[in-house]
């Protein structure tokens, strides 16, 4: 984009007025630097070539927002959809001649809790809890007092099976929570164990002298 001056000088040393010409701008901007995504996932900021247009896209190439680099070399782009679940975003700078920089990338923080586990079932013997949850998340089963009874991992097919340290066969209420790799915990799902435990046998059993009343 440089401006060049062209003059003609004859044999007697007379010089013409200058003609000017501008070189085409074929130099791409440097990729945006210092790119940051706000904690709420709504705004991307950074630095770039003054006057260039900054475009933010998601992994599929969908445009999420655009902005312009100010005179101080900085920009701030408000995104159409907050990014709070570990998404990878691409940020490019395009100058007024249409030259586009290499992309800078930024990864959103994962602040989205998994959905609560679903389809929770406790085996008839009270030893195993199964269900569905977010792939890769850790499933923790606790009793009513908060004591952990077992943990497991949701497989690639979205299912899990957790073996309990103590069989639950007496109507206990259990809590099942899914925690993703970023530490976000789901709302708890609950399941009630079947009561399959027989009472202890009656003790101190007595029959009155008349033989009509039994106590114990």
């Amino acid at each position: 984009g440089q401006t060049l001056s062209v003059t003609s000088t004859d044999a007697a040393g007379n010089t013409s007025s200058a003609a000017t010409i501008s070189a085409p701008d074929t130099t791409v901007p440097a990729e945006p630097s210092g790119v940051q995504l706000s904690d709420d996932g709504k705004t991307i900021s950074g630095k770039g070539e003054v006057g260039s247009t900054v475009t933010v896209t998601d992994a599929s190439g969908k445009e999420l927002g655009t902005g312009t680099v100010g005179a101080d070399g900085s920009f701030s782009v408000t995104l159409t959809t907050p990014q709070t679940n570990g998404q990878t975003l691409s940020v490019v700078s395009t100058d007024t001649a249409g030259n586009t920089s290499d992309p800078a990338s930024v990864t959103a923080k994962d602040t989205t809790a998994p959905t609560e586990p679903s389809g929770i079932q406790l085996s008839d013997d009270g030893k195993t809890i199964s269900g569905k949850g977010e792939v890769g998340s850790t499933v923790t089963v606790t009793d009513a007092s908060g004591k952990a009874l077992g943990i497991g991992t949701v497989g690639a097919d979205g299912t899990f099976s957790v073996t309990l340290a103590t069989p639950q066969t007496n109507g206990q209420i259990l809590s099942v929570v899914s925690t993703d790799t970023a530490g976000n915990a789901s709302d708890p799902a609950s399941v009630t164990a079947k009561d399959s435990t027989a009472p202890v046998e009656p003790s101190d059993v007595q029959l009155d002298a008349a033989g009509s009343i039994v106590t114990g």
Side-chain angles (χ1 to χ4, degrees), residues 6 8 10 31 36 40 54 66 78 85 103 109 113 115 135 139 153 174 188 192 202 206 211:
V6 184
S8 173
D10 64 20
E31 81 176 51
Q36 292 184 328
D40 61 8
V54 174
T66 62
T78 301
N85 201 24
K109 292 181 179 179
T115 57
V135 172
V139 174
T153 303
L174 308 178
T192 302
Q206 295 182 343

Side-chain angles (χ1 to χ4, degrees), residues 21-41:
I21 187 171
S22 295
D25 183 356
T26 59
T27 303
V28 300
E31 81 176 51
S33 61
V35 178
Q36 292 184 328
L37 178 62
S38 59
D39 288 341
D40 61 8

Side-chain angles (χ1 to χ4, degrees), residues 107-134:
T107 301
K109 292 181 179 179
D110 183 355
T111 60
T112 303
T115 57
E116 73 177 56
S118 62
I120 305 299
Q121 291 185 329
L122 179 62
S123 59
D124 290 340
D125 61 8
K127 295 180 179 180
T128 306
I129 279 188
S130 59
K132 295 182 178 182
E134 181 177 301

